[in-house]
Amino acid sequence: MPAPIRLRELIRTIRTARTQAEEREMIQKECAAIRSSFREEDNTYRCRNVAKLLYMHMLGYPAHFGQLECLKLIASQKFTDKRIGYLGAMLLLDERQDVHLLMTNCIKNDLNHSTQYVQGLALCTLGCMGSSEMCRDLAGEVEKLLKTSNSYLRKKAALCAVHVIRKVPELMEMFLPATKNLLSEKNHGVLHTSVVLLTEMCERSPDMLSHFRKVWLLVPQLVRILKNLIMSGYSPEHDVSGISDPFLQVRILRLLRILGRSDDDSSEAMNDILAQVATNTETSKNVGNAILYETVLTIMDIKSESGLRVLAINILGRFLLNNDKNIRYVALTSLLKTVQTDHNAVQRHRSTIVDCLKDLDVSIKRRAMELSFALVNGNNIRGMMKELLYFLDSCDPEFKADCASGVFLAAEKYAPSKRWHIDTIMRVLTTAGSYVRDDSVPNLIQLITNSVEMHAYTVQRLYKALLDDISQQPLVQVSSWCIGEYGDLLVSGQCEEEEPIQVTEDEVLDVLEGLLLSNLSTPVTRGYSLLGEILNRIKKVVSVYGSSIDVELQQRAVEYNALFKKYDHMRPALLERMPIMEKTASNGPTEIVQTNGETEPSVPDTKHPPLVTQPANQANDLLDLLGGNDVVPVIQTTLPTKPASAGGELLDLLGDLSLSGGPAPAPVPSVPVSQPPFLLDGLSSQPLFTDIAAVIPPMTAYNKNGLKIEFTFERANPNPNIAVITIHATNTTEADMTEFVFQAAVPKTFQLQLLSPSSNIVPALNQGSITQIIRVLNPQKQQLRMRVKLTYTHKGLPVQDLAEVNNFPPQSWQ
Amino acid sequence: MMRFLLLFSRQGKLRLQKWFITVTEREKKKMIRDMTLMVLARPPRSCNFLHWRDLKIVYKRYASLYFCCGLEEHDNELLTLEILHRYVELLDKYFGNVCELDIIFNFEKAYFILDEFLMGGEILETSKTAVGTAMEEAATLQETMEEYMSKPTF
């Protein structure tokens, strides 16, 4: 059999391959040759074959069949074999393969070899990939070598010991005696590895740590070594750009950090040397800055005196202005760590940090963004937010989500005014809306409901934004919801803070229908849109969704359809405003605020005790009459509820898009009546559909000029003194009656509450009706009488009429 | 400690891989792919530091080779740049004006040099000359044994 080709030959050949396929073919051929060579147990060329295998492994091809061969090489007497064998073991074997344990004996023998380079190979392999079992078996040998006077072996043994301790922490103790004298060595290799070993021990064992501090007096020793390094003259073998052994210096500084942490005496002992290093280190090259960086980290972590801390932060401040990007990055990272503890000192560098937002480098921008958010407080919120919003506008998409969340969090915590808060949110939604996290939509909605006085302003701005752009989903969702809820404010044009815009219901509907039709709207957004439509157009639009693919939409559409058809008289009550939502846990990129829904509601004066109900499921919710609420949107009951998810489950009651009519009613005690079993506080739960309507017959209250008004009755449970009358206005003429307003007055002994009508157009030819709910409180049980005033426009002419209604059925007031 | 050290070319071909942690072969391949993609995508005058999972990634380009390593939280990134530079200097001293081809054709020597410089993710020797001396002496050992055996080297 001809000699297998040499390694370099193979490499050359493989590199000539022009395609992946060609390369694969060559490799396969060679692997086959190697495999047969292995089978022949050829000692001479084993080394060569394994070397070739390692090359092919690096190219990404499987080489597991060479594992045992590596073991054979390790066992060989030839140094070349051992070298390749151990290399192969480190590349192909690891502790998950059982094969590796076979190495243990070889390594043990080699640890006691007469040649230090063989011992070195064994130590290196054990120290890189030794498993816990191997470490346990061989720890004794390593410990022996730690005590040798051969510095070449000593330094390797030290790092091997570090690995052993990492794998088997219990073995730490046994290395303690041998470690004691390590620091008295002159050899830098040994010094360095000893410091690493001591560091590892200190990090793992607080006992060791205090032992080193108190008994060994490690700190003065280290200080002395460091001082010698700095003061020593030029040493060619350790010099890096004029600094003597920066690697050792940094390692010592790191160990000092651990020793000085939460220990006054140790910190005191190292103050001088730290100050010396901080002031005297040459900063023109990276190596000097590396040492300064480590020094700063140490100063910030130990119990240093304030002068030293200020020095450290100033060094970081200087770093921020350095031309070298790496140094700026490192400064930002360090400042992020110290901003919690030394907030004021870091604040001094705020403007530089904010400038870093404009840096071209992506890593720096990210750090600057995180640090900027950490620096935001009540004083600088306006200025910082301006910068951050500008950043949000111009930054890469990878930042937008985090930045948006950060902005929301900061705004929540420090907003100087509600209007500012809402403006900020609007800005985020319009500029980075598509990147905003899903959970922020419900959070925003909750925020908006809470800022009651801003409802009109909010809905107006959202509507305007919607007119401009419907491509950003979260914006569309929030806008649709708000229009649904506060549409009456929008249409009535009331707004103190801005120019009121004249918006008709139709225009709003156009926008919403546009949303529904737009391809850009996700089903979720469409769900939100569905909330906001008014009756006449709803039936058309909603019935389309009755057969929608999305289950959520379909369910809602069907529910609404049912609502309109069968339970129309309940609709006005159902379509009332949403109560103010409780705040629950808000999550952001850097903080989690744990509130768990137990926070105090931020509700304006409430005269009634809060009613506590658990969230109902969706089916029950539709039936959930939150009776007795005022037309005025200040809700006087608060309910802790789950936040509406993006699916918009629970509490999505329709808000009415109608003009608020009728006098401001007196507050009526509110009684929630609902099906779910979890009502608290002794509030009775009663079924809704006791056939009250069937008990009291409906009546015609008015019938003139084609306008017919019918009254249907219910009792408000459980208060029998309240009669709930629903008026139905229909029109038999061929022209619509527009701007229809129904007003009613009752004798003094009664109290009247008129809720919002469903619309103000009575369609011609009985195509639809207006419904409106009247609640009459009749504590003295007198005969019910009512005077009604009707105004509307018919065929372009205004019509007004007064009438008395006296024919109430006795059951309605007895 | 350093978790891994990778050398790859501008075309993404791996030239050296040193792992100081135990990971599956599949995981290694994934990490190599991620590193390669991330580092090669960086614009020319960027900062040399990245964040990936819970590691700090430090990379430096020398001619046609990228040196990329993964560090833990406590490691000093600026010093790691010096470590990478020192390794390149050692290679340069050994090969004399080292270039990528030297590392391709003598990858095992690159590993040997690395093993004299780093171990278990930590620096083993800080002296510039000590590593070179060890390599020379070990080579002598190799030759001596080969001569004795009068067999060719691989």
Side-chain angles (χ1 to χ4, degrees):
Chain A
M1 161 130 200
I5 65 170
R6 290 172 179 259
L7 169 65
R8 278 169 197 94
E9 184 81 37
L10 176 69
I11 298 176
R12 211 167 292 128
T13 314
I14 291 177
R15 282 170 64 77
T16 61
R18 265 160 292 156
T19 64
Q20 188 73 19
E22 219 182 307
E23 185 185 275
R24 215 175 306 134
E25 213 184 292
M26 290 179 189
I27 302 258
Q28 270 169 4
K29 199 164 132 222
E30 186 57 37
C31 277
I34 292 176
R35 255 191 276 246
S36 47
S37 188
F38 284 161
R39 254 175 280 135
E40 286 170 19
E41 297 281 340
D42 186 332
N43 290 337
T44 325
Y45 296 111
R46 185 177 287 123
C47 181
R48 182 184 291 186
N49 286 327
V50 170
K52 286 187 285 184
L53 203 55
L54 291 179
Y55 178 74
M56 294 189 285
H57 175 252
M58 184 139 68
L59 292 179
Y61 297 93
H64 45 271
F65 57 90
Q67 285 168 1
L68 272 174
E69 302 301 314
C70 292
L71 294 178
K72 291 179 197 166
L73 283 175
I74 291 172
S76 157
Q77 290 308 309
K78 283 160 64 175
F79 182 68
T80 317
D81 281 357
K82 282 187 189 289
R83 239 181 169 184
I84 296 293
Y86 276 118
L87 180 62
M90 285 194 273
L91 287 177
L92 300 181
L93 287 172
D94 60 50
E95 54 188 68
R96 279 166 304 105
Q97 276 113 7
D98 298 325
V99 178
H100 86 280
L101 285 169
L102 297 173
M103 269 200 299
T104 315
N105 213 33
C106 282
I107 295 185
K108 188 166 191 178
N109 292 334
D110 284 340
L111 284 174
N112 292 307
H113 203 274
S114 51
T115 316
Q116 70 175 20
Y117 293 104
V118 174
Q119 290 173 294
L121 284 177
L123 281 169
C124 182
T125 308
L126 181 60
C128 275
M129 47 83 68
S131 63
S132 335
E133 297 91 347
M134 283 169 72
C135 288
R136 251 184 259 269
D137 288 338
L138 300 168
E141 305 296 326
V142 176
E143 198 259 342
K144 234 171 37 193
L145 286 171
L146 204 49
K147 294 191 277 215
T148 177
S149 54
N150 181 333
S151 47
Y152 178 81
L153 288 177
R154 228 172 169 194
K155 70 187 188 201
K156 293 205 174 194
L159 283 188
C160 198
V162 170
H163 179 82
V164 169
I165 292 173
R166 281 180 184 154
K167 283 291 183 187
V168 192
E170 306 90 69
L171 292 174
M172 201 186 323
E173 297 275 335
M174 77 185 275
F175 294 109
L176 200 53
T179 315
K180 191 134 205 236
N181 299 320
L182 284 174
L183 286 185
S184 46
E185 267 262 10
K186 290 279 182 284
N187 181 294
H188 281 224
V190 178
L191 273 177
H192 186 277
T193 55
S194 315
V195 172
V196 175
L197 179 56
L198 289 166
T199 310
E200 191 66 31
M201 288 176 166
C202 288
E203 278 175 344
R204 285 183 182 270
S205 162
D207 291 331
M208 288 276 200
L209 180 57
S210 21
H211 185 80
F212 292 153
R213 271 187 197 136
K214 311 240 166 63
V215 180
W216 285 19
L217 303 173
L218 200 49
V219 176
Q221 273 190 64
L222 291 170
V223 169
R224 206 175 46 244
I225 297 173
L226 190 50
K227 203 166 205 155
N228 285 338
L229 272 179
I230 300 170
M231 307 297 239
S232 70
Y234 175 76
S235 154
E237 68 178 302
H238 296 119
D239 180 88
V240 180
S241 304
I243 297 182
S244 184
D245 208 341
F247 306 109
L248 182 56
Q249 289 194 34
V250 166
R251 229 35 234 246
I252 291 177
L253 286 166
R254 192 161 140 186
L255 181 53
L256 285 175
R257 179 152 86 238
I258 298 172
L259 289 169
R261 207 178 270 158
S262 15
D263 188 81
D264 291 319
D265 292 329
S266 303
S267 303
E268 168 99 36
M270 55 180 87
N271 249 327
D272 286 343
I273 192 70
L274 289 175
Q276 196 179 348
V277 175
T279 41
N280 291 340
T281 309
E282 181 67 47
T283 58
S284 55
K285 293 270 178 72
N286 179 63
V287 58
N289 288 317
I291 295 177
L292 270 185
Y293 176 40
E294 197 73 32
T295 314
V296 165
L297 289 177
T298 302
I299 292 173
M300 299 314 292
D301 219 8
I302 63 171
K303 298 211 153 210
S304 48
E305 52 178 34
S306 59
L308 205 51
R309 289 184 97 81
V310 169
L311 180 60
I313 300 234
N314 288 345
I315 291 176
L316 289 180
R318 270 203 327 269
F319 274 4
L320 276 180
L321 300 168
N322 196 305
N323 285 330
D324 188 335
K325 284 196 202 323
N326 296 329
I327 293 176
R328 288 210 297 279
Y329 178 89
V330 145
L332 287 170
T333 315
S334 317
L335 285 172
L336 197 53
K337 284 192 210 145
T338 62
V339 75
Q340 304 301 332
T341 46
D342 291 83
H343 190 92
N344 292 331
V346 181
Q347 281 282 359
R348 253 176 262 138
H349 300 279
R350 194 178 71 240
S351 50
T352 322
I353 292 168
V354 165
D355 279 340
C356 288
L357 283 174
K358 306 189 185 96
D359 199 298
L360 295 167
D361 188 284
V362 163
S363 310
I364 289 182
K365 272 204 273 235
R366 179 165 285 279
R367 284 280 175 262
M369 180 182 82
E370 287 168 10
L371 194 49
S372 300
F373 280 123
L375 286 176
V376 170
N377 63 25
N379 294 328
N380 57 34
I381 177 75
R382 284 189 193 263
M384 289 294 276
M385 197 51 84
K386 226 170 37 183
E387 295 284 349
L388 288 166
L389 286 173
Y390 180 74
F391 175 69
L392 184 63
D393 275 340
S394 52
C395 69
D396 298 327
E398 57 185 294
F399 291 117
K400 291 214 192 224
D402 288 332
C403 191
S405 304
V407 166
F408 286 150
L409 265 181
E412 247 178 76
K413 282 212 284 205
Y414 301 111
S417 75
K418 285 249 161 77
R419 173 168 171 165
W420 181 93
H421 195 168
I422 288 178
D423 282 341
T424 308
I425 291 174
M426 292 280 319
R427 178 90 183 268
V428 175
L429 285 181
T430 45
T431 54
S434 353
Y435 301 99
V436 159
R437 290 204 223 281
D438 288 339
D439 63 348
S440 47
V441 171
N443 285 341
L444 291 175
I445 289 178
Q446 181 265 312
L447 173 73
I448 291 171
T449 59
N450 272 326
S451 30
V452 167
E453 64 277 13
M454 301 295 308
H455 284 165
Y457 172 73
T458 312
V459 71
Q460 207 170 84
R461 284 210 60 195
L462 285 170
Y463 178 73
K464 276 198 228 165
L466 206 55
L467 286 176
D468 286 331
D469 172 25
I470 57 168
S471 62
Q472 308 213 54
Q473 294 297 311
L475 176 65
V476 170
Q477 285 169 11
V478 176
S479 302
S480 320
W481 192 93
C482 285
I483 292 175
E485 283 291 300
Y486 309 121
D488 59 335
L489 292 173
L490 180 65
V491 175
S492 68
Q494 299 163 354
C495 182
E496 290 151 12
E497 312 239 8
E498 270 205 3
E499 282 293 305
I501 54 173
Q502 294 308 317
V503 181
T504 66
E505 292 167 354
D506 276 327
E507 280 176 352
V508 179
L509 276 179
D510 282 336
V511 171
L512 290 172
E513 252 197 273
L515 288 178
L516 286 174
L517 294 171
S518 159
N519 296 339
L520 298 171
S521 298
T522 65
V524 171
T525 313
R526 291 183 193 172
Y528 277 94
S529 271
L530 276 180
L531 304 182
E533 305 260 14
I534 59 169
L535 183 62
N536 300 333
R537 295 172 65 169
I538 273 184
K539 287 188 181 164
K540 260 191 291 174
V541 175
V542 167
S543 49
V544 169
Y545 284 89
S547 42
S548 158
I549 292 172
D550 188 278
V551 174
E552 184 87 37
L553 287 176
Q554 190 181 57
Q555 183 182 0
R556 289 214 203 165
V558 168
E559 282 167 352
Y560 293 152
N561 268 329
L563 181 64
F564 300 139
K565 293 205 183 94
K566 290 202 273 178
Y567 304 117
D568 207 34
H569 53 281
M570 297 195 31
R571 195 173 36 80
L574 279 173
L575 304 185
E576 282 168 5
R577 284 264 161 73
M578 279 268 285
I580 295 174
M581 286 189 248
E582 282 277 320
K583 213 175 161 58
T584 54
S586 55
N587 291 322
T590 49
E591 279 184 62
I592 296 181
V593 176
Q594 299 282 356
T595 55
N596 289 328
E598 310 290 14
T599 51
E600 291 303 307
S602 56
V603 173
D605 330 306
T606 164
K607 295 180 183 136
H608 304 277
L611 298 165
V612 180
T613 54
Q614 297 292 335
N617 59 42
Q618 185 155 15
N620 283 328
D621 220 77
L622 265 184
L623 310 177
D624 200 343
L625 269 183
L626 301 171
N629 287 320
D630 305 338
V631 177
V632 174
V634 176
I635 307 302
Q636 293 173 334
T637 60
T638 60
L639 307 171
T641 54
K642 279 204 303 253
S645 69
E649 12 146 323
L650 315 164
L651 309 166
D652 296 328
L653 298 179
L654 293 176
D656 244 349
L657 272 188
S658 38
L659 303 173
S660 53
V668 174
S670 52
V671 175
V673 181
S674 60
Q675 294 280 13
F678 11 61
L679 273 184
L680 302 178
D681 293 337
L683 297 166
S684 55
S685 131
Q686 299 205 2
L688 287 171
F689 298 114
T690 56
D691 294 337
I692 303 281
V695 171
I696 308 174
M699 58 173 267
T700 304
Y702 176 92
N703 197 346
K704 221 165 70 168
N705 298 333
L707 176 63
K708 178 170 161 194
I709 297 184
E710 269 204 338
F711 283 6
T712 52
F713 299 92
E714 292 152 43
R715 284 270 172 225
N717 279 318
N719 188 346
N721 291 334
I722 298 179
V724 180
I725 306 169
T726 309
I727 70 154
H728 303 262
T730 47
N731 170 10
T732 52
T733 69
E734 349 67 340
D736 289 350
M737 293 172 180
T738 55
E739 286 153 18
F740 181 90
V741 177
F742 173 93
Q743 285 165 299
V746 287
K748 286 208 181 71
T749 51
F750 300 88
Q751 276 183 350
L752 184 84
Q753 180 189 9
L754 199 61
L755 303 181
S756 312
S758 62
S759 84
N760 59 353
I761 299 177
V762 193
L765 301 168
N766 290 330
Q767 277 170 29
S769 65
I770 291 180
T771 54
Q772 194 163 5
I773 291 189
I774 310 169
R775 298 165 67 103
V776 183
L777 180 63
N778 184 4
Q780 294 177 25
K781 296 240 189 272
Q782 294 194 346
Q783 184 186 7
L784 187 52
R785 278 174 22 230
M786 192 185 281
R787 187 169 287 173
V788 299
K789 176 171 172 189
L790 305 157
T791 47
Y792 56 91
T793 303
H794 188 228
K795 293 181 184 165
L797 299 167
V799 178
Q800 198 175 312
D801 199 4
L802 282 169
E804 278 237 63
V805 184
N806 290 323
N807 52 333
F808 286 93
Q811 301 97 315
S812 65
W813 47 269
Q814 273 168 355
Chain B
M1 64 177 254
M2 201 183 281
R3 294 253 180 114
F4 57 81
L5 173 65
L6 304 172
L7 267 67
F8 48 86
S9 71
R10 289 196 39 73
Q11 289 75 40
K13 290 209 141 228
L14 192 66
R15 298 300 177 206
L16 190 140
Q17 53 174 326
K18 187 77 186 176
W19 299 90
F20 299 110
I21 43 164
T22 309
V23 276
T24 61
E25 198 64 40
R26 174 191 251 150
E27 186 67 22
K28 277 184 199 167
K29 283 203 159 79
K30 177 166 198 311
M31 285 164 88
I32 292 168
R33 198 168 52 239
D34 284 352
M35 290 302 119
T36 318
L37 285 173
M38 267 194 335
V39 170
L40 291 176
R42 296 279 280 182
R45 258 172 284 282
S46 312
C47 163
N48 295 83
F49 309 135
L50 291 166
H51 230 87
W52 180 81
R53 295 193 193 167
D54 62 328
L55 295 180
K56 303 198 260 202
I57 307 296
V58 178
Y59 74 94
K60 190 119 197 261
R61 182 174 156 205
Y62 287 91
S64 57
L65 270 183
Y66 283 93
F67 289 64
C68 172
C69 55
L71 304 176
E72 289 176 347
E73 187 60 38
H74 300 293
D75 292 317
N76 186 325
E77 299 100 308
L78 296 178
L79 194 73
T80 309
L81 286 175
E82 294 299 320
I83 295 177
L84 293 177
H85 193 75
R86 172 60 66 88
Y87 181 47
V88 173
E89 281 180 337
L90 293 171
L91 289 170
D92 194 62
K93 187 96 184 289
Y94 182 81
F95 288 108
N97 275 334
V98 67
C99 62
E100 190 183 343
L101 275 178
D102 290 321
I103 300 182
I104 294 171
F105 280 94
N106 300 284
F107 70 92
E108 81 280 4
K109 301 232 173 55
Y111 276 109
F112 298 151
I113 294 172
L114 186 62
D115 287 339
E116 293 296 326
F117 176 45
L118 300 176
M119 187 162 113
E122 307 281 359
I123 300 173
L124 177 61
E125 179 58 68
T126 60
S127 156
K128 284 186 253 194
T129 51
V131 173
T133 316
M135 285 299 288
E136 278 165 26
E137 291 186 8
T140 326
L141 196 61
Q142 197 165 294
E143 274 171 25
T144 309
M145 293 196 107
E146 292 315 320
E147 276 166 7
Y148 178 77
M149 301 291 288
S150 57
K151 288 273 176 22
T153 53
F154 58 90

